[in-house]
Amino acid sequence: MVGVVWWSVLCLALLLRGALGDHNSSEYSHGVATSVVVGTRSWEPAGWGGEAGPRLREVRSAAAASGEVSDSAAAGWMSEVAGDWEVSDSAAAGWMIGWEVLQEQAVSQICRQLLVHFGDTSASLVRCAVKRARPVRICEMCNSHFHHFWDSFANLSKDAGNESCSKQLLRSDRLQIVLKTRNFLQHMWTDSQCDACLNENKTAPSIDSIIFKKMLNESLNCFEYYSSKHPVHSNYSDLCKKCKGSYDNLTEHYNRMEKDNKLCIDIIDAMNLTRQLWSKTYNCTIRCGDMIPVIAVSTFLLFLPVIFYLSSFLHSEQKKLKLIEPKRLKHCSSSSSSITH
Amino acid sequence: MANVAKKVSWAGKDEEPRPGETTPLINGSPSAAHTQSNFFRIQRLITVNLDDDPTQEQDGVSAAGAPKEISHTEKLLSLKYESLDYDNSENQLFMEEERRISKIGFHVLEIKRWIVCCLIGIFTGLIACIIDIVVELLADKKYQIIKENIDKSTESGGLSISLILWASLNAGFVMIGSFLVAFIEPAASGSGIPQIKCYLNGVKVPHVVRLKTLVVKVLGVIFSVVGGLAVGKEGPMIHSGAVIAAGISQGRSSTLKRDFKIFEYFRRDTEKRDFVSAGAAAGVSAAFGAPVGGVLFSLEEGASFWNQMLTWRIFFASMISTFTLNFVLSIYRGNPGDLSSPGLINFGQFNSEAAQYNWFEIPVFICVGAIGGILGAVFNRLNYCLTMFRIRYIHRPCLQVIEAMVVGAVTATVSFVMIYAMYTSDCQPVGEDPIKYPLQLFCPDGEYNAIATTFFNTPEKSVRSLFHDSPGSYNPLTLGLFTLSYFFLACWTYGLAVSSGVFIPSLLIGAAWGRLFGIFLSNISSGSTWADPGKYALMGAAAQLGGIVRMTLSLTVIIMEATGNVTYGLPIMLVLMTAKIFGDFCIEGLYDIHIKLQSVPFLGWEPPEKSHTLTAREVMSYPVTCFKRVEKVGRIVDILSDTTINHNGFPVVDENHEPEYDNVGRLCGLILRSQLIVLLKHKVFVERATSNLTQRKLQLKDFRDAYPRFPPIQSIHVSQDERHCTVDLTEFINPTPYSVPGEASLPRVFRLFRALGLRHLVICDGSNGVIGIVTRKDLARYRLHKGQLEELEMAHT
């Protein structure tokens, strides 16, 4: 008996020791892991500061030069962010000396030029697209920018001489800035469905969209002419009567293009805005309510079931079922069986 | 002892075959002279009351008058339903054939089973494709026409004409579908799940697995879905799969009168029923893209008889079916080989950030389940009352067609009025969510009427858009009105004489109020991300469906597979559990209600509680019509053609033993009506055998060829000469029928019956003398109702 207790205590102690030992070793490995993490972290600020700093400044200067950023809040935000980066720039200045070496190691001279060109084209594309964000006219106005952008990316991913820029630039790090930028802009293109309203070479608007534009102008001119005449829009004013023809033509053409799947975002957006003008601003959509006939017909239809069920309840004879009584042993025998068991 | 003596006295004379002489012997029966003829024709004795309490004696009342006439209630058993012969008749012919089959023969049989399952899968998938494609084409055409008309008349007037057009298009389609069902094949009405459930339980529902039923079912479901009724095409797929299975496994069609001379071994109820369960599973898997759910559906709903190999084969059939559907639809949709969109209904992927759930949402899900259970119970209660009314008053086919048309027209009207009345409140810009038929109506140009999209679409599409449209795309008022109107429409529609499923309407109702609930939650939680309306729409759909049909395991898996998201398993399970608990508290599931209202002798999993007091002797049918081993043809023909008896199994007794006490002779076998009919048809008479030596010996094949539609006795001509011949039944009887002593309790008999799939159970006394026989109806008569064991009445329906 005592032996058993002693044995179990011994086992317990061994188990405990084993557990403690395990714990120690895991802590040790954890410590190693954290030190590695610290190591990588210490590299990161340098990478960020060195690369993104100059680039953002470039974007900012571009924005300032074009003078497009009129919104004061946005400008404030920009300067604030830029200020932040200024600070980190100066902090990172110490790294800049070593940076040159790394740069040569990472990217060759030719590739660097291509990269800069790619940056320029994408920046101008972004500028163009944002400028034409509302009302959307990206397909019409930024078409050439897209072509430049694609060309520069094609150059970049092509092998220049004996050096492979695509490998150096596109697949060398985790972040893959170039690819991400390209994917983002390409996504914008596919989402806008610009292909649908360009001609085969994708260089100029297709004939359909030119016709649409012409009709749109016609309608808008008409709107402008009559709305300046009567600035107050009553229900179904003069404008509606006079411009109905051109608006109907426009709608018809739009519907035809829709059927043929030839709509791009430019046209859809223009049409949406025109429709809103037509039906909300000028109140030109009139609908035949047909209130009384609709109410009459629907009441009649809704009363059908009442009539049907009432008449079938009153006139249809109820089905009567003949009960069949099953053959059973008599009750007395059942009581006898309950006695016997 | 006195009782026993009395028994001896009258049972001893009862062995006389002429029933007329037994009647005066009925003790204490107050049978008046004018009822006597009637009385002995029915050959009945007084019913036993459940309790031994003699104060509940009603027998005097029931026996005194002519057969009582009552209107239909749920407390009836219909005599038109018979049992399946799941238990093989192991007669000498069978034993000989089994002996002849070699080892390789058994392997070949096993391979044939697999081939049949594969074919079941393929054909079920193809049927699903046909339904899907035709519905899509026709519905597209219909909605195009209506949309163009409405667009035109909003500009130039005449909306009432559009309404009439819509209503009459609906009514027209519904009329075709309903006409087919009501006049050609009434067995094809409804979802078919109750019928298949009964079939798998062992009840032979007339016409349920015929080819004609399949054709009517498929056409009917196409027309009712295109007709805009609140129905789905998923439920009927299960029935279709079952019919296909029953047809293919037999290798012939009696409707087409073609026999392909294959799979002859499978021509009996045992094998056929296994294949039918495979077909039902294949149907589920084609409908929802849920092969595992299909297998579990077969298991949950029908499998009283289950084994591992069968499960594996059923799973194979399910997989093949969903694969076939997938493959054919991928070709139809123009990207052949893309197998990633299984099922007729696909709930789509729930992958977004908000579609994930947190631990604190579990109680909310349970609340959703409770709401679903209560709403489901309300649905079932309303449908119960409606079905009762229909059975009593609307039983003529032409009335049924008119009713279906009225429902179709009203469905269109309600949709139209809803769209018309809500025109100002809910206009959404075109192009945010993909809408197939954006109906502008009174919305400004460039916008569409949001409520129109829920009504103006096939229900499957509406379910999907409720699950996946962006959070702001439905207005709460719209959803509320939609839920309310669709709830009543769906409840009204189920039970019409059209082929219709209840799955999709329930999902749609649930998805609508679930989404409403989700919107409410996100409002009170001030727009936090977890309250995604789409997720709550899914939970609501699960809860509503669970509350109506009360399936548990299989439904969880089906929904899980249809969403393709295993992590939803837990919430869906909890939701369905809660829904079932809350629903069962009020009323049974919809399918069970319909089974009861059809007066089917359905045997549940367990014998009714409080039935231990009953013994086999009390529930059995008495006296038994028996045959001797060598029996006169005349007597056989007389008994078989007596329409009031209509028994299907006859104990065969030993003629050498004199009957004693209350038994009718020593049991030496059991013979079925179908076997007797085949014997009579082939004139296997003892006298003929000696005179005509060239006549070949009857084989098991002759019995199979007559299966499953044995000719009625009236079609068999027996001449006056032949009536005096005799038949030797020794070779054909099942020499080892199951029998129990009369003292066995009802639960014991019930379990034996349920587990072995019996059709007849002979009740014997101590010396193996036949005293009675228990059939399915004798057991199904006892039912627990409000804590009391009640006894159902039987009637011809």
Side-chain angles (χ1 to χ4, degrees):
Chain A
M1 192 64 195
V2 177
V4 170
V5 171
W6 176 242
W7 179 241
S8 57
V9 167
L10 199 79
C11 285
L12 207 74
L14 272 170
L15 270 173
L16 261 172
R17 229 182 104 187
L20 279 172
D22 278 352
H23 185 67
N24 281 347
S25 67
S26 73
E27 206 169 49
Y28 173 70
S29 66
H30 188 68
V32 171
T34 43
S35 72
V36 168
V37 168
V38 167
T40 49
R41 257 186 215 152
S42 63
W43 274 100
E44 268 171 19
W48 275 92
E51 202 176 10
R55 195 181 232 213
L56 212 111
R57 254 182 300 164
E58 196 180 308
V59 171
R60 185 167 56 97
S61 64
S66 63
E68 287 290 326
V69 186
S70 53
D71 196 300
S72 63
W77 177 80
M78 285 295 274
S79 67
E80 199 179 303
V81 171
D84 268 0
W85 280 109
E86 224 88 67
V87 174
S88 64
D89 256 5
S90 61
W95 292 97
M96 286 309 261
I97 308 146
W99 182 243
E100 300 286 324
V101 186
L102 280 187
Q103 190 168 310
E104 271 161 37
Q105 169 64 30
V107 191
S108 67
Q109 198 58 40
I110 307 167
C111 297
R112 175 126 199 101
Q113 276 170 13
L114 289 174
L115 189 63
V116 170
H117 184 236
F118 178 73
D120 289 344
T121 53
S122 20
S124 67
L125 174 57
V126 168
R127 191 160 59 237
C128 170
V130 171
K131 213 161 113 187
R132 269 88 196 191
R134 289 307 298 161
V136 188
R137 294 183 76 189
I138 179 174
C139 299
E140 191 190 351
M141 307 304 283
C142 307
N143 190 15
S144 58
H145 293 274
F146 268 110
H147 281 280
H148 292 313
F149 163 73
W150 287 326
D151 288 345
S152 70
F153 185 77
N155 285 337
L156 202 102
S157 46
K158 215 161 44 187
D159 285 352
N162 53 359
E163 290 157 296
S164 165
C165 289
S166 65
K167 187 162 179 279
Q168 288 175 12
L169 297 173
L170 303 184
R171 291 189 293 274
S172 294
D173 59 313
R174 185 167 58 86
L175 199 56
Q176 302 187 330
I177 294 170
V178 177
L179 267 186
K180 270 192 184 145
T181 314
R182 186 252 172 190
N183 286 346
F184 165 68
L185 290 169
Q186 185 62 36
H187 201 219
M188 197 152 79
W189 173 261
T190 40
D191 277 1
S192 63
Q193 296 171 332
C194 288
D195 285 337
C197 54
L198 293 178
N199 63 4
E200 274 98 59
N201 305 332
K202 311 233 152 64
T203 46
S206 67
I207 300 166
D208 269 331
S209 52
I210 292 170
I211 298 173
F212 176 80
K213 192 139 290 168
K214 217 180 98 207
M215 288 174 152
L216 182 69
N217 273 338
E218 219 168 274
S219 302
L220 291 180
N221 286 339
C222 175
F223 290 173
E224 210 164 2
Y225 178 71
Y226 285 102
S227 63
S228 59
K229 247 181 174 175
H230 305 280
V232 184
H233 306 298
S234 60
N235 268 358
Y236 208 64
S237 56
D238 214 20
L239 182 147
C240 300
K241 281 176 212 147
K242 292 289 184 327
C243 303
K244 189 166 170 43
S246 57
Y247 179 75
D248 282 350
N249 277 342
L250 182 72
T251 314
E252 199 188 323
H253 185 70
Y254 178 82
N255 287 341
R256 208 166 41 235
M257 284 173 79
E258 189 176 21
K259 219 172 249 172
D260 300 343
N261 260 336
K262 283 188 174 167
L263 292 182
C264 59
I265 189 72
D266 285 17
I267 292 178
I268 295 174
D269 189 63
M271 192 66 205
N272 275 349
L273 288 178
T274 319
R275 279 173 164 172
Q276 277 173 20
L277 266 183
W278 177 257
S279 41
K280 285 190 181 158
T281 317
Y282 304 131
N283 277 331
C284 287
T285 311
I286 45 137
R287 295 297 185 193
C288 288
D290 286 338
M291 193 66 118
I292 289 152
V294 167
I295 288 175
V297 171
S298 49
T299 328
F300 168 71
L301 286 174
L302 290 176
F303 262 97
L304 277 182
V306 179
I307 298 165
F308 173 78
Y309 284 115
L310 263 183
S311 66
S312 56
F313 179 72
L314 295 176
H315 294 295
S316 173
E317 79 285 8
Q318 217 185 104
K319 215 187 211 171
K320 289 289 179 189
L321 301 170
K322 281 203 178 98
L323 286 186
I324 309 275
E325 305 270 351
K327 305 181 291 175
R328 285 285 174 276
L329 202 57
K330 263 179 37 59
H331 189 260
C332 56
S333 67
S334 81
S335 59
S336 81
S337 71
S338 64
I339 292 163
T340 48
H341 66 65
Chain B
M1 248 358 259
N3 276 333
V4 177
K6 203 158 57 181
K7 265 194 307 188
V8 174
S9 67
W10 59 267
K13 286 171 198 161
D14 196 57
E15 43 99 13
E16 277 290 328
R18 302 227 70 85
E21 279 148 23
T22 66
T23 32
L25 294 168
I26 294 166
N27 266 347
S29 137
S31 51
H34 68 278
T35 58
Q36 274 210 3
S37 60
N38 196 358
F39 202 58
F40 90 76
R41 201 183 66 235
I42 305 168
Q43 255 207 352
R44 63 172 307 276
L45 290 178
I46 301 156
T47 31
V48 179
N49 232 305
L50 317 182
D51 307 57
D52 295 53
D53 183 8
T55 54
Q56 287 198 351
E57 190 84 49
Q58 316 167 322
D59 300 347
V61 183
S62 56
K68 264 202 305 186
E69 286 204 342
I70 58 151
S71 50
H72 194 279
T73 66
E74 64 165 333
K75 291 176 188 166
L76 279 179
L77 283 187
S78 168
L79 287 181
K80 77 176 172 188
Y81 298 106
E82 291 168 6
S83 265
L84 295 171
D85 294 303
Y86 199 73
D87 184 39
N88 260 329
S89 172
E90 286 191 338
N91 53 23
Q92 287 180 21
L93 301 180
F94 176 80
M95 296 307 246
E96 270 169 40
E97 197 192 68
E98 291 287 304
R99 230 174 282 135
R100 269 204 305 276
I101 299 176
S102 59
K103 201 179 164 209
I104 295 176
F106 278 112
H107 284 300
V108 171
L109 271 181
E110 190 59 27
I111 291 169
K112 275 187 186 165
R113 286 198 184 103
W114 281 92
I115 293 173
V116 170
C117 279
C118 180
L119 290 175
I120 291 170
I122 291 174
F123 281 96
T124 310
L126 287 178
I127 292 284
C129 286
I130 291 171
I131 294 179
D132 194 45
I133 291 171
V134 176
V135 165
E136 196 175 304
L137 290 178
L138 283 179
D140 207 47
K141 205 90 222 145
K142 185 187 104 178
Y143 286 123
Q144 285 291 340
I145 291 172
I146 298 170
K147 180 181 149 49
E148 272 166 28
N149 193 283
I150 290 181
D151 282 348
K152 208 172 73 198
S153 36
T154 38
E155 280 186 25
S156 50
L159 266 178
S160 52
I161 306 295
S162 308
L163 168 60
I164 291 170
L165 175 80
W166 190 354
S168 53
L169 267 180
N170 268 11
F173 279 118
V174 172
M175 187 189 75
I176 303 171
S178 176
F179 179 84
L180 288 172
V181 171
F183 283 95
I184 297 179
E185 190 52 88
S189 76
S191 73
I193 296 176
Q195 284 97 318
I196 294 305
K197 207 171 157 175
C198 292
Y199 188 89
L200 293 176
N201 188 268
V203 183
K204 187 180 197 169
V205 184
H207 296 204
V208 79
V209 289
R210 290 199 182 170
L211 183 68
K212 194 166 89 179
T213 313
L214 175 68
V215 173
V216 170
K217 190 113 213 167
V218 170
L219 291 177
V221 77
I222 287 172
F223 283 112
S224 53
V225 173
V226 172
L229 290 180
V231 298
K233 52 191 190 278
E234 277 68 15
M237 266 320 296
I238 295 161
H239 191 176
S240 307
V243 181
I244 289 167
I248 288 177
S249 65
Q250 303 302 297
R252 66 165 169 200
S253 158
S254 3
T255 307
L256 298 179
K257 302 199 170 48
R258 285 287 298 276
D259 190 345
F260 299 99
K261 307 266 178 209
I262 45 171
F263 308 135
E264 282 171 339
Y265 185 81
F266 301 144
R267 290 178 191 173
R268 54 181 152 192
D269 286 339
T270 320
E271 298 281 347
K272 191 167 163 184
R273 187 160 152 190
D274 286 353
F275 289 118
V276 167
S277 57
V284 175
S285 105
F288 297 96
V292 182
V295 174
L296 292 176
F297 175 83
S298 273
L299 175 72
E300 188 175 332
E301 293 297 326
S304 339
F305 312 99
W306 199 256
N307 66 53
Q308 190 192 355
M309 274 319 281
L310 177 63
T311 317
W312 186 225
R313 270 205 304 274
I314 292 178
F315 184 64
F316 174 71
S318 303
M319 268 304 180
I320 293 287
S321 132
T322 178
F323 170 81
T324 309
L325 173 75
N326 232 324
F327 187 71
V328 177
L329 281 187
S330 74
I331 292 173
Y332 174 71
R333 304 252 151 84
N335 38 357
D338 173 25
L339 300 180
S340 54
S341 62
L344 290 183
I345 174 151
N346 189 343
F347 293 165
Q349 300 286 319
F350 286 83
N351 283 337
S352 71
E353 192 87 353
Q356 271 139 34
Y357 64 97
N358 269 309
W359 61 269
F360 56 82
E361 284 179 79
I362 299 283
V364 187
F365 291 147
I366 290 175
C367 284
V368 172
I371 300 173
I374 292 163
L375 284 179
V378 173
F379 185 99
N380 289 358
R381 167 57 67 182
L382 288 177
N383 195 265
Y384 169 84
C385 298
L386 194 59
T387 310
M388 189 65 99
F389 181 84
R390 279 176 180 150
I391 292 175
R392 285 187 183 168
Y393 293 101
I394 306 174
H395 44 80
R396 273 186 303 187
C398 53
L399 277 180
Q400 289 173 342
V401 174
I402 295 172
E403 189 193 13
M405 285 171 67
V406 167
V407 176
V410 170
T411 308
T413 315
V414 169
S415 315
F416 189 90
V417 168
M418 216 50 106
I419 295 170
Y420 186 85
M422 296 286 295
Y423 66 93
T424 43
S425 61
D426 203 358
C427 288
Q428 304 278 345
V430 175
E432 273 186 11
D433 294 304
I435 311 284
K436 207 163 178 198
Y437 318 102
L439 199 63
Q440 184 187 352
L441 215 64
F442 304 119
C443 284
D445 286 7
E447 294 189 359
Y448 66 91
N449 190 315
I451 194 169
T453 52
T454 36
F455 280 112
F456 207 63
N457 218 330
T458 51
E460 283 92 347
K461 303 261 167 53
S462 306
V463 172
R464 273 194 74 148
S465 49
L466 280 170
F467 285 165
H468 293 294
D469 282 356
S470 44
S473 48
Y474 290 94
N475 161 320
L477 184 63
T478 314
L479 274 180
L481 277 173
F482 176 76
T483 311
L484 204 66
S485 58
Y486 211 81
F487 183 88
F488 288 110
L489 282 177
C491 189
W492 188 20
T493 309
Y494 191 78
L496 285 178
V498 293
S499 315
S500 60
V502 77
F503 271 68
I504 295 298
S506 331
L507 285 174
L508 190 52
I509 298 165
W513 64 253
R515 202 176 168 99
L516 200 62
F517 189 76
I519 293 172
F520 168 72
L521 275 185
S522 67
N523 280 351
I524 59 167
S525 66
S526 61
S528 57
T529 50
W530 57 268
D532 173 47
K535 179 171 61 186
Y536 282 93
L538 176 69
M539 293 304 154
Q544 183 69 57
L545 186 53
I548 291 175
V549 301
R550 308 285 162 74
M551 282 149 58
T552 47
L553 171 63
S554 54
L555 195 57
T556 311
V557 176
I558 286 172
I559 295 177
M560 221 161 75
E561 283 183 287
T563 51
N565 196 334
V566 182
T567 54
Y568 277 169
L570 177 76
I572 289 172
M573 186 190 75
L574 288 175
V575 159
L576 288 175
M577 237 178 216
T578 335
K580 187 172 165 59
I581 291 168
F582 273 78
D584 279 347
F585 189 72
C586 309
I587 193 172
E588 295 164 282
L590 189 63
Y591 297 143
D592 295 324
I593 289 175
H594 277 258
I595 287 174
K596 261 191 192 169
L597 287 176
Q598 293 297 315
S599 316
V600 181
F602 188 86
L603 296 184
W605 290 107
E606 290 290 322
E609 291 157 35
K610 302 190 180 180
S611 58
H612 278 275
T613 49
L614 289 170
T615 59
R617 196 182 274 271
E618 287 164 289
V619 300
M620 70 188 185
S621 298
Y622 176 92
V624 189
T625 317
C626 287
F627 289 120
K628 297 200 177 72
R629 246 178 217 279
V630 180
E631 187 59 79
K632 279 226 152 47
V633 173
R635 180 161 182 260
I636 295 178
V637 173
D638 285 344
I639 286 175
L640 290 189
S641 31
D642 187 345
T643 49
T644 53
I645 296 180
N646 200 26
H647 294 321
N648 279 293
F650 303 93
V652 177
V653 292
D654 200 341
E655 61 266 36
N656 298 329
H657 284 257
E658 277 305 303
E660 49 192 19
Y661 303 114
D662 57 354
N663 70 32
V664 275
R666 218 188 68 189
L667 176 69
C668 62
L670 187 83
I671 193 149
L672 299 174
R673 168 182 285 260
S674 56
Q675 290 171 322
L676 288 173
I677 284 179
V678 174
L679 293 182
L680 291 179
K681 198 174 139 202
H682 290 268
K683 309 214 182 294
V684 192
F685 306 144
V686 179
E687 288 74 10
R688 291 297 163 92
T690 48
S691 67
N692 187 3
L693 289 170
T694 52
Q695 192 183 12
R696 70 182 175 85
K697 204 164 161 285
L698 208 61
Q699 285 180 335
L700 207 53
K701 188 177 175 305
D702 298 300
F703 291 97
R704 280 198 198 125
D705 284 345
Y707 178 84
R709 290 191 219 173
F710 296 101
I713 183 71
Q714 287 78 13
S715 70
I716 290 164
H717 179 71
V718 177
S719 68
Q720 206 58 41
D721 264 2
E722 284 167 340
R723 285 182 67 88
H724 297 296
C725 296
T726 50
V727 185
D728 185 5
L729 301 174
T730 317
E731 262 189 299
F732 311 105
I733 57 172
N734 179 7
T736 53
Y738 292 99
S739 65
V740 292
E743 282 71 36
S745 70
L746 175 69
R748 197 171 181 77
V749 173
F750 190 99
R751 292 217 168 81
L752 193 68
F753 225 82
R754 186 76 166 85
L756 294 172
L758 299 182
R759 185 171 183 184
H760 301 101
L761 184 63
V762 185
I763 308 296
C764 292
D765 61 8
S767 55
N768 213 20
V770 177
I771 50 174
I773 195 161
V774 169
T775 58
R776 170 176 285 271
K777 278 166 210 138
D778 297 322
L779 296 176
R781 295 172 60 207
Y782 296 99
R783 192 184 280 170
L784 203 64
H785 181 71
K786 290 183 182 151
Q788 287 287 315
L789 200 63
E790 63 170 6
E791 206 176 330
L792 307 183
E793 314 240 37
M794 303 213 192
H796 282 292
T797 54

